[in-house]
């Protein structure tokens, strides 16, 4: 079953070395193109991926040499699919709920094992392990979701934990980094609670969250209005041999496809609600968090009592919240804001240390670093300890569906999670292993290679199930140095002869027959 670029190109995953992750299989139906396998009424030989392989092969023939004959390169139009049930396209009936008909009419692909599973997800809104994220044109299937507590790493500019909760109809609460966190006094009150939680909860302690916001906030942005964009947002290049990609540099994971001219372009949805525009502004998010968390971390705004953290803490807070810095001469504003940032950060650092010491005194948590541990230096050091504390409690309680947090926190904690047998899914695994493109990409690339593609740098060429009589052109290109870096050629056995294979092997090219 082909549900997108990754499900076609990615073979089933091998078991991971980390036992806590249990290395579940990737998205249902993920298969390799190494063998042509008809799945239901869908033939991989007619997939968009194979169509592109044929066209790029034709482009290579035009780039490295003339064809030896006019023999055709077989081609076929891509197959459009909307709802798949047991690998077959499902057509709604009169008996189906309108939600099923609506799903069948939109532009997105959905994949279900059974009709009952489809109805449970679309109509009854039953919690499930899979779901559709329209704004990223992405269908996912997570092995632990709705079954056991796990931790998910994310980029805040891409798919968020709250998106997954909605798309999978999860009714249990979740722990989420972006939500308002907790104080030690609140956690102490809940220490002996036995009732199941009823609402979502923030993942981390508020003072360390505030300190991190103060560390990353750039006050200078308040002085300079955003400059008008003079050039369009740079679009990632689609790798050679692929027909789509996603933006990883900015963490948005927006889908990139080829337009009618063959150039890389942002995928654009027909639905306004599924727009992919990236509105995440890290500096604005930091300032908003500062203004909100100051009131939570320091509920008593008495200037005399705040002076224990910094003698100008209250004054700095007033300047920031009331924007009184705007009344000062322009040449002084930056200095004022930098001082505000410094004073608040220094005072909050003391508060973070207080809260962490109180956590150890009031609750005596196991498995956390001691307050005097020299490894506790930055806001993120304290945040990771507080997050780990929350995860241990949530895992023990059984009251939460999952926890979602920035990937950098998961990277820092995954060894400790493994030791506690708490499963996790990294951001890369989410996109590369457990999700696929949820649209049929039917636009074909042009029959020429990008001008900036250097054939001499091509190390692997995957022709999948393309059947051609032009293989000798590739062999000659390798021998002449025009494909000097080619190391692996995947090609249909019917397109290769023993002499040609021998010539490639003598040039150091591994030939994999499909």
């Amino acid at each position: 079953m082909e549900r997108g670029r990754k499900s076609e190109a990615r073979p089933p995953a091998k078991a991971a070395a980390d036992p806590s992750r249990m290395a579940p299989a990737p998205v249902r139906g993920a298969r390799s193109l190494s063998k042509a396998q008809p799945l239901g009424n869908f033939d991989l030989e007619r997939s968009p991926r194979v169509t592109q392989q044929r066209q790029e092969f034709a482009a290579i023939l035009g780039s490295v040499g003339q064809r030896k004959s006019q023999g055709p390169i077989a081609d076929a139009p891509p197959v459009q699919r909307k709802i798949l049930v047991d690998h077959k396209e499902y057509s709604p009936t009169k008996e189906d709920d309108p939600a099923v008909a609506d799903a069948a009419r939109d532009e997105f692909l959905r994949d279900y094992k059974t009709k009952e599973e489809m109805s449970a997800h679309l109509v009854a809104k039953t919690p499930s392990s899979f779901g559709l994220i329209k704004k990223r044109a992405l269908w996912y299937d997570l092995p632990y979701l709705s079954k056991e507590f796990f931790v998910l790493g994310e980029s805040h500019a891409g798919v968020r934990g709250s998106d997954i909760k909605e798309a999978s109809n999860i009714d249990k609460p979740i722990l989420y980094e972006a939500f308002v966190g907790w104080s030690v006094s609140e956690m102490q009150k809940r220490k002996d609670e036995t009732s199941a939680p009823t609402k979502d909860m923030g993942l981390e302690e508020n003072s360390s969250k505030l300190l991190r916001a103060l560390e990353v906030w750039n006050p200078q942005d308040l002085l300079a209005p955003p400059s008008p964009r003079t050039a369009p947002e740079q679009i990632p290049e689609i790798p050679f041999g692929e027909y789509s990609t996603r933006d990883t540099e900015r963490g948005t994971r927006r889908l990139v496809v080829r337009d009618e001219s063959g150039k890389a372009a942002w995928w654009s949805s027909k639905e306004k609600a599924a727009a992919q525009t990236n509105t995440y502004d890290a500096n604005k998010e930091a300032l908003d968090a500062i203004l909100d968390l100051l009131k939570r971390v320091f509920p008593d705004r008495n200037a005399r009592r705040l002076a224990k953290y910094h003698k100008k803490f209250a004054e700095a807070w007033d300047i920031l919240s009331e924007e009184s810095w705007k009344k000062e001469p322009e040449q002084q504003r930056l200095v004022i804001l930098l001082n505000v940032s410094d004073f608040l950060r220094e005072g909050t650092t003391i508060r973070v240390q207080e809260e962490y010491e109180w956590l150890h005194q009031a609750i005596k948590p196991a498995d956390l670093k001691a307050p005097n541990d020299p490894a506790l230096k930055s806001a993120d050091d304290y945040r990771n300890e507080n997050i780990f504390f929350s995860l241990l409690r949530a895992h023990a309680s059984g009251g939460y569906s999952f926890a979602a947090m920035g990937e950098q926190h998961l990277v820092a904690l995954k060894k400790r999670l493994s030791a506690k047998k708490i499963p996790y899914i990294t951001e890369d695994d989410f996109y590369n292993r457990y999700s696929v493109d949820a649209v049929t990409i039917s636009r074909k690339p042009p029959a020429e290679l990008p001008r900036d593609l250097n054939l001499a740098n091509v190390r692997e060429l995957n022709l999948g199930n393309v059947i051609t009589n032009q293989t000798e052109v590739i062999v000659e290109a390798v021998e002449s140095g025009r494909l000097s870096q080619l190391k692996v050629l995947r090609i249909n056995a019917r397109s290769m002869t023993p002499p040609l294979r021998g010539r490639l092997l003598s040039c150091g090219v591994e030939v994999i027959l499909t």
Side-chain angles (χ1 to χ4, degrees):
M1 171 197 57
E2 182 261 7
R3 291 187 298 177
R5 170 175 60 86
K6 298 183 180 67
S7 66
E8 294 174 340
R10 184 179 61 250
K14 296 181 180 179
D18 185 349
S20 74
R21 299 176 66 183
M22 293 179 277
V27 175
R28 292 197 305 266
R31 294 173 184 256
S32 168
L33 278 179
S34 60
K35 295 182 180 180
Q37 303 179 54
L39 304 175
N41 64 350
F42 177 57
D43 184 358
L44 284 175
E45 285 292 332
R46 297 173 58 85
S47 73
R49 177 73 182 95
V50 173
T51 297
Q52 171 140 348
Q53 287 171 338
R54 289 172 179 137
Q55 293 196 353
E56 288 183 341
F57 182 42
I60 290 173
L61 294 176
S63 297
V64 302
Q66 298 299 316
R67 300 185 184 184
K68 291 295 181 183
S69 70
Q70 298 304 311
I73 297 174
D75 199 358
V79 178
Q80 301 287 332
R81 303 167 314 287
K82 297 301 180 184
I83 297 178
L84 295 178
V85 175
D86 191 23
H87 311 320
K88 301 176 183 178
E89 184 175 357
Y90 181 79
S91 298
T93 65
K94 294 181 179 179
E95 289 74 27
D96 282 320
D97 189 272
V100 176
D102 290 342
R105 282 193 297 264
D106 70 19
E107 64 191 299
F108 300 102
L109 308 179
R110 297 167 177 83
D111 173 25
Y112 302 103
K113 291 180 179 177
T114 64
K115 182 179 178 181
E116 291 72 24
E117 186 179 78
M118 174 192 70
S119 296
H121 182 239
L122 294 175
V123 182
K125 303 297 182 182
T126 301
S128 61
S129 64
F130 43 80
L132 172 68
I133 306 295
K134 289 186 176 182
K135 67 181 181 180
R136 290 295 181 265
L138 181 146
W139 176 267
Y140 64 85
D141 190 351
L142 303 181
Y144 313 112
L145 190 57
S146 80
K147 300 177 181 68
E148 65 174 307
F149 180 79
F150 71 101
V151 180
L152 176 70
E154 69 168 47
S155 164
H156 303 319
V159 175
R160 297 186 171 200
S162 52
D163 298 328
I164 290 174
K165 180 179 181 181
E166 179 181 0
S168 288
N169 308 318
I170 301 300
D171 47 18
K172 289 177 69 173
I174 67 171
L175 289 175
Y176 190 35
E177 181 189 346
F179 295 156
V180 174
W182 45 270
S183 67
V184 175
S185 60
E186 293 169 344
M187 194 62 75
Q188 185 180 23
K189 292 176 183 177
R190 296 199 297 264
K191 181 176 64 172
D192 299 319
E193 284 185 358
T194 57
S195 58
T198 58
K199 60 181 181 179
D200 298 337
M201 181 177 168
L203 187 56
E204 58 185 305
E205 187 271 327
N206 282 327
S207 69
S208 57
K209 188 180 183 76
L210 170 60
L211 181 57
R212 178 56 180 166
L214 287 164
E215 286 179 350
V216 301
W217 176 53
N218 179 11
Q220 193 167 2
D221 276 10
L222 290 178
L223 303 178
S227 57
R229 182 174 291 175
T230 57
E233 190 175 22
Q234 185 175 1
I235 301 174
E237 294 183 0
I238 298 176
F240 179 70
E242 300 290 344
Y243 64 95
S244 69
T245 191
R246 290 186 178 271
D247 174 28
T248 57
E249 183 176 348
R250 286 158 290 224
T252 67
R253 302 286 181 157
R254 291 174 64 187
L255 180 62
V256 180
V257 297
R258 297 190 193 277
D259 62 18
E260 294 296 341
S261 68
K263 295 181 179 179
W266 296 117
W267 168 79
S268 178
S269 174
K270 300 172 185 177
E271 297 185 17
K272 292 182 179 180
Q276 282 205 46
T277 52
N278 180 27
T279 59
Y280 185 77
D281 184 331
N283 207 55
K284 182 180 182 304
E285 294 265 346
L287 179 57
D288 290 345
I290 290 168
L291 294 172
D292 176 66
L293 290 170
L294 277 169
K295 293 180 287 187
R296 299 178 185 277
V297 176
F298 301 97
D300 183 355
R301 202 163 171 174
N302 180 278
R304 182 175 59 81
R305 283 187 281 273
L306 288 176
K308 65 176 286 191
Y309 301 105
H310 193 286
K311 61 182 180 180
K312 292 190 175 183
F313 194 93
E315 180 184 356
W317 187 352
D318 290 340
I319 291 173
L320 185 62
S321 61
E322 298 171 9
E323 298 186 325
S324 58
W325 56 269
K326 292 182 178 180
K327 301 175 184 178
E328 303 299 328
E330 288 189 16
Q331 63 271 24
Q332 297 180 17
R333 293 177 184 176
L334 178 57
V335 174
I336 292 172
L337 286 171
L338 290 174
N339 284 333
V340 164
S341 176
D342 288 345
F343 299 160
L344 293 177
R345 187 174 64 254
E346 291 170 15
T348 302
T349 299
I350 297 173
R351 180 65 173 172
V352 169
Q353 294 167 346
E354 279 185 354
E355 285 286 292
Y356 193 66
E357 289 176 359
W358 189 11
L359 177 66
H360 278 263
Q361 294 171 6
I363 302 179
K364 298 179 175 59
D367 305 301
L368 297 190
K369 291 181 172 66
N372 60 352
D373 193 311
L376 297 174
K377 299 177 181 179
S378 67
D380 273 346
D381 294 332
Y382 285 98
R383 292 176 73 199
N384 288 333
E385 294 306 301
N386 291 322
I387 288 172
F388 190 54
F389 171 71
S390 292
L391 295 176
L392 293 177
R393 285 175 59 93
H395 182 240
S397 75
Y400 293 91
S401 177
F402 66 94
M405 59 190 183
E407 177 72 2
Q408 74 277 11
H409 297 298
L410 179 54
V411 170
L413 294 173
K414 60 184 184 181
K415 288 184 179 179
R416 296 164 73 180
L417 292 173
S418 296
K420 294 296 181 181
K421 295 182 168 46
I422 300 176
Y424 60 82
I425 296 174
T426 65
E427 179 191 359
D428 281 344
D429 276 353
F430 173 78
Y431 288 101
N432 299 328
R433 191 176 179 192
Y434 300 122
S435 64
V436 291
D437 298 340
V439 289
T440 298
I441 301 170
S442 58
R443 294 171 178 172
K444 298 181 180 180
E448 62 180 15
L449 294 175
R451 292 181 179 179
D452 57 350
L453 177 62
N454 185 355
L455 283 175
N457 294 330
V458 174
R459 299 182 62 84
E460 182 170 345
L461 188 57
N462 182 1
L463 302 182
N465 290 299
V466 173
I467 299 175
T468 178
N469 59 3
Q470 307 298 319
T471 307
E472 190 173 359
V473 175
I474 299 296
V475 177
E476 291 179 352
V478 172
E479 293 174 334
S480 66
R482 282 169 288 175
L483 282 170
S484 59
Q485 297 300 313
L486 187 66
K487 300 300 180 186
V488 179
L489 173 64
R490 299 175 186 271
I491 190 169
N492 190 286
R494 287 180 286 174
S495 299
M496 180 61 66
T497 66
L500 291 177
R501 186 179 188 186
R503 289 164 63 183
L504 288 170
L505 292 173
S506 68
C507 293
V509 177
E510 179 185 4
V511 179
I512 300 176
L513 300 180
T514 62

